Amino acid sequence: MTLIDNPGTGADRDAGLAPLQFLVQRNLQAKNDAQRAQILENPGFGTHFTDHMVDVCWSVGGGWHRPRVQPYGPISLDPAAAVLHYGQEIFEGIKAYRHADGSIHTFRPDQNGRRLQRSARRLALPELPVSYFIQSLRELIKVDGAWVPDAADQSLYLRPFMFAKEAFLGVRPANKVNYYVIASPAGAYFSGGVKPVTIWLSEDYARAGKGGTGAAKTGGNYAASLLPQAEAYENGCDQVVFLDQDGNVEELGGMNVVFVYKDGTVVTPMSDSILEGITRDSILQLAEDRGHKVQGRAVSLAEWREGVASGDIVEVFACGTAAVVTPIGGLKGRTFFDEQPTGSLALSLREELTDIQYGRREDKHGWMLRLDA
Ligand code: PLP
Ligand code: COI
């Protein structure tokens, strides 16, 4: 079973492509072991960055060129750079995990590489070959591998991204684009750790629309989620959930949603306006391996609320690379609060997934890729 039903073309097209020849420029101001250790003691999420970054150029005439690993630092942009005006930007999120023997691994990078290609297609950006995508992660780990934490539940969050750098105010796809990878040591995404989160139902604002960019990982989707996310915080909630124009559940601002029914069926909302999460695909595969029936289909808000009220829905959880798997403990709207049932499946799937990611359990699906060898 796979919910990722729209594979990119690059994996086939780039078979046999010669690797890029990266130029490595060392950061002379790199943190020393003691400074790094201090950061890794309590990395938080997304606030500290490693010493280097990947930077690769693309142009219409020159293709992918000038691949570099260089000191982490500001990017110089022309004020007319297209990304600043029209938001032509995409990104990915993927983690590097340290195993007990010290080796460094990542999880299903081919899937992130393909999703970056699908996002690129939607945003009229160039498709980075999947082999270049994976190579870019390896090149960064080669110089910044010491930043992959070894503490429980910590990882190095890798953030590949690409944007339109051409200085031009006409509205058309840019002819000059750059691809970067930065990395940030990560602990829990939610400051409360794995305890259930409360979700705010966005009744006034949508995240995506039919035919829009909802399935792409592009900054504009997140920009559209910030106001409703602020509303969520004002209402004491941790995250916001969006509906589509027909009243079907889409996803949270940065995570997919999964429902567990009392007959054991595991259901996740599917539509072309939802990001195809690699965590949910993997979690659903693990559930299927255990004998659960798994479905990707439309789930209306009414089905959710009535299912919880009747006891048909026995668990609801959120999942994504940053948040892993987090139970949902409450759904709050302007006029209601529905406590959500808690069960053991979310946490046991989380444990199985993280056991695979940290090398504590057999990787039966061949999902892990070693990055430091
Ligand atoms: N939905 C959104 C909007 C996200 O930002 C993410 C995080 O990447 C996900 C879902 C989950 O995707 P994945 O499991 O691939 O990280
Ligand atoms: C991820 O999980 O990788 C994301 O991009 C989500 C974001 C909210 C950090």
Side-chain angles (χ1 to χ4, degrees):
M1 193 252 15
T2 181
L3 292 172
I4 301 174
D5 60 358
N6 177 21
T9 52
D12 306 321
R13 229 185 21 221
D14 70 5
L17 208 58
L20 294 170
Q21 296 299 316
F22 275 80
L23 176 77
V24 178
Q25 267 177 280
R26 287 271 170 181
N27 185 347
L28 301 177
Q29 263 107 47
K31 302 261 186 319
N32 64 33
D33 290 351
Q35 290 167 321
R36 194 172 56 242
Q38 198 187 2
I39 291 170
L40 295 186
E41 239 167 65
N42 185 15
F45 184 88
T47 50
H48 299 284
F49 298 93
T50 64
D51 299 310
H52 297 88
M53 62 196 231
V54 163
D55 179 357
V56 186
C57 299
W58 178 90
S59 65
V60 165
W64 297 103
H65 62 277
R66 215 204 63 148
R68 295 183 188 201
V69 174
Q70 64 195 36
Y72 181 92
I75 295 171
S76 146
L77 279 185
D78 190 290
V83 66
L84 299 177
H85 304 272
Y86 310 125
Q88 198 188 359
E89 184 270 354
I90 55 174
F91 67 97
E92 269 303 322
I94 182 167
K95 286 174 169 173
Y97 307 88
R98 190 172 302 278
H99 287 189
D101 65 359
S103 58
I104 300 169
H105 302 251
T106 194
F107 183 71
R108 305 187 75 182
D110 52 322
Q111 292 298 333
N112 292 85
R114 286 180 190 177
R115 188 169 66 189
L116 188 72
Q117 292 185 327
R118 297 199 293 278
S119 299
R121 228 172 292 151
R122 181 63 185 85
L123 272 290
L125 283 162
E127 288 180 44
L128 182 76
V130 173
S131 65
Y132 289 180
F133 175 82
I134 294 175
Q135 190 192 356
S136 71
L137 309 182
R138 285 189 192 284
E139 298 286 343
L140 191 57
I141 290 296
K142 253 191 227 166
V143 292
D144 278 344
W147 284 90
V148 182
D150 54 14
D153 293 329
Q154 291 188 3
S155 57
L156 184 65
Y157 183 79
L158 302 163
R159 171 54 64 90
F161 61 106
M162 187 193 294
F163 63 79
K165 216 174 187 183
E166 186 184 1
F168 176 68
L169 291 183
V171 182
R172 59 143 171 81
N175 290 326
K176 273 175 65 184
V177 167
N178 275 58
Y179 166 75
Y180 300 89
V181 188
I182 56 172
S184 173
Y189 182 72
F190 292 113
S191 52
V194 192
K195 72 177 199 315
V197 292
T198 303
I199 303 299
W200 173 250
L201 175 68
S202 180
E203 293 173 75
D204 295 328
Y205 305 107
R207 170 187 180 275
K210 202 165 174 44
T213 57
K217 208 160 165 63
T218 179
N221 293 338
Y222 297 79
S225 78
L226 297 178
L227 180 60
Q229 178 65 50
E231 212 177 68
Y233 290 142
E234 275 161 29
N235 284 279
C237 297
D238 307 276
Q239 266 279 322
V240 59
V241 64
F242 294 98
L243 302 179
D244 69 14
Q245 64 279 4
D246 302 318
N248 293 316
V249 179
E250 282 185 333
E251 59 184 320
L252 309 189
M255 279 148 249
N256 292 119
V257 188
V258 178
F259 301 94
V260 185
Y261 287 70
K262 77 166 179 259
D263 69 356
T265 305
V266 179
V267 180
T268 191
M270 285 277 281
S271 85
D272 57 11
S273 58
I274 297 175
L275 189 80
E276 294 174 298
I278 294 155
T279 314
R280 84 171 172 175
D281 185 74
S282 312
I283 285 287
L284 267 55
Q285 180 64 61
L286 297 178
E288 195 175 64
D289 294 348
R290 294 182 187 191
H292 289 267
K293 199 165 133 196
V294 160
Q295 295 174 343
R297 62 167 172 83
V299 178
S300 67
L301 177 67
E303 176 178 345
W304 179 357
R305 297 196 61 199
E306 285 160 19
V308 166
S310 70
D312 261 355
I313 292 178
V314 295
E315 244 180 290
V316 188
F317 61 87
C319 59
T321 298
V324 195
V325 174
T326 303
I328 294 178
L331 173 68
K332 194 169 178 189
R334 269 200 301 265
T335 56
F336 71 90
F337 176 79
D338 293 349
E339 200 172 311
Q340 302 296 301
T342 46
S344 57
L345 188 65
L347 291 183
S348 101
L349 287 170
R350 178 189 170 105
E351 184 176 285
E352 185 174 350
L353 180 71
T354 52
D355 277 354
I356 294 168
Q357 291 169 331
Y358 287 91
R360 298 185 292 252
R361 202 184 279 237
E362 191 193 344
D363 171 25
K364 290 194 184 122
H365 293 283
W367 285 336
M368 302 306 294
L369 180 78
R370 186 162 177 187
L371 286 178
D372 63 333

